[in-house]
Amino acid sequence: MARSRWLVALTGGAAVAATLVLAPTTATAAPVRYESENAVLSQGVVESNHAGFTGSGFVNYNNVSGGYVEYTVTAAQAGTHSLAFRYANGTTANRPVSVTVNGASAVSALAFPVTGAWTTWQTVTTSATLTAGTNKIRVTATGAEGGPNADSLTVDPGSAPVANTPVGINGQLHVCGVKLCNQYNKPIQLRGMSTHGLQWYAQCVKTASLDALANDWGADILRISMYIQEGGYETDPRKYTDMVHNYIEEATKRGMYALVDWHQLTPGDPNHNLARAKTFFTEIAQRHKDKVNIIYDIANEPNETPWSAIKSYAEQLIPVIRAQDANGVVFLGTHGWASFGVSDGRSEQDILNAPVNATNIMYTFHFYAASHHDEYFNALSRTVDRIPVFITEFGTQTSSGDGTNDFAYSQKYLDFLAGKKIGWTNWNFSDDFRSGAVFKTGTCAGNNFSGTSVLKPAGVWIRDRIKSPDDFPTS
């Protein structure tokens, strides 16, 4: 697919921090805050000379590697818990730490980016597996400058999926035959939204918008679209990796599946980013392997690249993910901008003749209904009963993500996908000026995302279709 929308320079997007402070909405009990001044310290002191802290003070790490703050935390239940560290970093450099739980490594390198001033407090969120009862969580500075000023640790009571959410019902997904199946081995259809590029529109992915997506729209899945080039991951791997970590946690809290999108586009050969992908997915899979809601999308839209090169890329990267997470489903973009090769003058036969040598994977297909009529629809129709397929991106407009909506042909696609139990995420969850962005321009500056008054016509249309969910069979 010709994708001019990716190449247009965007302006007006707010600058985004490496981490976002987002409030949980689905915990079954209130999170518990542990003040750092009450923790066990090594190579650090309690101070109160910078305003804005909670409790009676904060911990100032000494400027050495190896200093730590150790919190004694009580967990009501065993399992994965969200850990939110409130901190300030008034320097000009990241101050990383390692996190251990009961002496075992939980996070080997957790970044604490600069906050601009010692009186500016922000939150970094990660997760760890806790045992029921008492746990020792130690946060150790790994750099010569020590850690950040540590104000507190807030622990979510547990991340057992809420019963009536998509994740709570379906649990760990897997590929069965050519379908995506739930923990009961029943085919299901997930419906949701894709973010726009995080480097441009992270301001559209925040507490109020995610609450609206999960609760007002009733979405099952959030596609976290992290560009590699075009001002994305390549420019600051630590920043964008941490953003993805946080969005995974926020999707988890709301009972949605988190689709981690390695949004390579230019250059079209995913092998150009193979080393970067190995680094990124190793960390993502290692940290979130105990969650049941993670899906890995390892190549967004390969283009002007033969299927053999994409297959080779996948067969090198999938084992890297499997070494950390043996159960997560992996999605792979197909050639021709995820068109089964149609936009490159090829066809699905390339894939059928040489499928990827891996299990628990699905092949992705993208369409823009105003541009992609019978040739694309017929290729999809010919293929879905032969290999597992997921629609990780589509729009009701042209392939530029703009222009007039073709709701009639869009509905033809969606009716077909519903009949085949093929999941999808729509492009895109932002207030970009183009018609394919669901929110009216300027919406993301505020906190009102529910209802239809803030939506463009495409937003009204897609919200209505997300609100009529799959039945999620359990028996």
Side-chain angles (χ1 to χ4, degrees), residues 7 14 59 95 112 133 143 191 196 206 221 227 239 250 262 271 290 305 307 346 381 409 430 435 440 457 463 467 472:
L7 306 179
V59 171
R95 290 198 166 185
F112 283 81
R191 307 181 191 188
H196 205 313
K206 55 186 177 181
I221 183 170
Y227 280 68
K239 170 183 174 179
E250 297 309 320
W262 183 253
N271 290 285
D290 293 328
T305 299
W307 171 248
R346 301 293 300 178
S381 301
Y409 215 97
S430 83
S435 59
K440 294 176 181 176
R463 172 181 176 271
K467 286 176 71 70
F472 293 153

Side-chain angles (χ1 to χ4, degrees), residues 341-380:
V342 175
S343 289
D344 274 350
R346 301 293 300 178
S347 77
E348 73 279 0
Q349 203 60 47
D350 294 334
I351 306 167
L352 299 175
N353 290 341
V356 172
N357 184 24
T359 59
N360 212 25
I361 70 167
M362 305 191 85
Y363 301 87
T364 71
F365 184 84
H366 294 176
F367 67 87
Y368 282 80
S371 294
H372 303 129
H373 283 186
D374 292 355
E375 183 181 13
Y376 292 83
F377 184 88
N378 292 339
L380 178 65

Side-chain angles (χ1 to χ4, degrees), residues 394-417:
F394 81 93
T396 56
Q397 314 76 30
T398 67
S399 59
S400 67
D402 204 359
T404 303
N405 293 291
D406 188 339
F407 292 134
Y409 215 97
S410 297
Q411 192 62 55
K412 177 179 179 178
Y413 271 108
L414 292 199
D415 288 344
F416 175 78
L417 297 174

Side-chain angles (χ1 to χ4, degrees), residues 193 216-217 396-397 405 407 411 414 424 426 428-430 435-440 449-468:
M193 292 298 301
D216 178 50
W217 295 42
T396 56
Q397 314 76 30
N405 293 291
F407 292 134
Q411 192 62 55
L414 292 199
W424 49 258
N426 175 259
N428 70 76
F429 197 63
S430 83
S435 59
V438 295
F439 295 114
K440 294 176 181 176
F449 294 91
S450 296
T452 59
S453 65
V454 295
L455 299 177
K456 295 174 186 171
V460 174
W461 191 87
I462 199 64
R463 172 181 176 271
D464 184 58
R465 279 137 188 88
I466 290 175
K467 286 176 71 70
S468 56

Side-chain angles (χ1 to χ4, degrees), residues 106-308:
V107 183
S108 59
L110 184 62
F112 283 81
V114 300
T115 61
W118 293 111
T119 54
T120 300
W121 301 87
Q122 294 184 4
T123 302
V124 165
T125 303
T126 188
S127 60
T129 300
L130 306 183
T131 60
T134 301
N135 295 265
K136 301 290 187 180
I137 300 177
R138 180 176 292 190
V139 184
T140 303
T142 58
E145 298 304 313
N149 282 357
D151 183 38
S152 65
L153 164 63
T154 298
V155 180
D156 189 277
S159 61
V162 177
N164 292 325
T165 64
V167 176
I169 296 169
N170 294 297
Q172 178 67 59
L173 305 180
H174 64 283
V175 177
C176 55
V178 295
K179 304 297 184 184
L180 183 63
C181 294
N182 63 14
Q183 62 183 329
Y184 304 102
N185 211 39
K186 300 296 182 180
I188 63 168
Q189 183 191 41
L190 299 180
R191 307 181 191 188
M193 292 298 301
S194 173
T195 72
H196 205 313
L198 301 182
Q199 74 272 41
W200 298 313
Y201 287 99
Q203 69 272 22
C204 295
V205 191
K206 55 186 177 181
T207 299
S209 66
L210 292 177
D211 285 348
L213 183 62
N215 302 321
D216 178 50
W217 295 42
D220 309 316
I221 183 170
L222 173 69
R223 183 191 191 217
I224 303 165
S225 181
M226 185 191 70
Y227 280 68
I228 315 310
Q229 278 72 46
E230 301 170 71
Y233 176 88
E234 182 182 52
T235 65
D236 193 339
R238 184 72 266 150
K239 170 183 174 179
Y240 288 103
T241 302
D242 288 337
M243 290 178 74
V244 172
H245 283 314
N246 277 281
Y247 290 138
I248 290 171
E249 298 294 345
E250 297 309 320
T252 303
K253 291 172 185 176
R254 291 163 175 82
M256 293 188 291
Y257 288 91
L259 175 55
V260 180
D261 168 30
W262 183 253
H263 206 89
Q264 59 79 219
L265 186 71
T266 304
D269 184 353
N271 290 285
H272 177 81
N273 290 306
L274 178 60
R276 297 183 184 95
K278 287 181 176 180
T279 297
F280 172 78
F281 281 109
T282 294
E283 180 173 330
I284 293 295
Q286 191 279 328
R287 186 174 300 186
H288 302 287
K289 62 187 176 184
D290 293 328
K291 294 182 172 68
V292 298
N293 66 322
I294 309 302
I295 302 171
Y296 307 93
D297 187 357
I298 62 174
N300 164 58
E301 287 188 345
N303 57 86
E304 300 179 353
T305 299
W307 171 248
S308 59

